[in-house]
Amino acid sequence: MEKPAIVQSMYIFKQPQIGGAVVPHQDSTYLYTEPLNVIGLWIALEDSTAENGCLSFIPGSHKNGTSRRFIRNPDPNGPLTILTGKPLEFDETKFVPAPAKPGTLLLINGEVIHQSEANRSPKSRQIYTFHVVETKDTVYSKENWLQPTPELPFPLLYDD
């Protein structure tokens, strides 16, 4: 990437025995660009295991495009955001867990289908993640739920 901008960052804490699952999704559904180029950077802050809800991916699913979009609802009388397009189609048995030790960085192609299970273990799972998009020769959709503003633009990851 020549001019990546940070569009979103999250600290995720899956508490022991109650940390929730994250349903199968593609990041490009939520952070759509033309051309598609969102990348997730996911950093384990402590052990991420199958027992405490590590990420799982469907290998090769990034080759099938994005069929869904999470956008701001153009109907002022409806909910603020809506999902458009057809639901993801995939084989649940194809998910492969990706356990990670603290300090491990996982790079996530925006089109790969991924999820994480609930944390049913006695150990927490803490991670930090952020998403970047290329700004050079890229259009960040004005329909996306998350939008920059003049007061809060998406910061560049680095300057030339």
Side-chain angles (χ1 to χ4, degrees):
M1 291 187 157
E2 289 187 50
K3 290 184 69 177
I6 302 167
V7 296
Q8 179 186 50
S9 68
M10 297 176 283
Y11 166 76
I12 300 174
F13 178 43
K14 284 196 177 199
Q15 295 187 37
Q17 302 180 353
I18 62 169
V22 176
V23 299
H25 68 282
Q26 297 169 295
D27 293 338
S28 56
T29 294
Y30 303 92
L31 305 168
Y32 189 81
T33 61
E34 290 182 9
L36 293 171
N37 63 35
V38 65
I39 299 288
L41 293 93
W42 189 99
I43 304 162
L45 301 177
E46 54 189 3
D47 285 330
S48 177
T49 66
E51 293 77 26
N52 72 1
C54 71
L55 286 179
S56 295
F57 299 90
I58 297 180
S61 61
H62 66 288
K63 299 175 184 175
N64 300 324
T66 299
S67 64
R68 249 181 154 185
R69 300 275 312 283
F70 184 73
I71 63 170
R72 291 180 178 205
N73 189 352
D75 178 358
N77 298 316
L80 292 176
T81 56
I82 56 172
L83 271 169
T84 64
K86 63 180 192 141
L88 283 174
E89 293 181 12
F90 56 89
D91 180 349
E92 281 280 341
T93 66
K94 301 290 184 191
F95 278 103
V96 175
K101 294 285 186 196
T104 299
L105 168 67
L106 300 178
L107 295 175
I108 305 170
N109 179 298
E111 295 173 74
V112 72
I113 299 171
H114 58 289
Q115 68 176 4
S116 64
E117 297 294 340
N119 182 359
R120 303 283 184 231
S121 81
K123 294 184 177 183
S124 64
R125 192 213 75 182
Q126 298 181 65
I127 67 99
Y128 175 71
T129 186
F130 63 101
H131 294 89
V132 297
V133 297
E134 176 60 66
T135 60
K136 183 179 179 189
D137 300 325
T138 298
V139 175
Y140 183 81
S141 177
K142 293 193 182 311
E143 293 182 324
N144 285 345
W145 73 280
L146 182 61
Q147 292 292 319
T149 65
E151 298 81 22
L152 293 169
F154 295 148
L156 291 178
L157 186 58
Y158 52 81
D159 287 321
D160 295 290

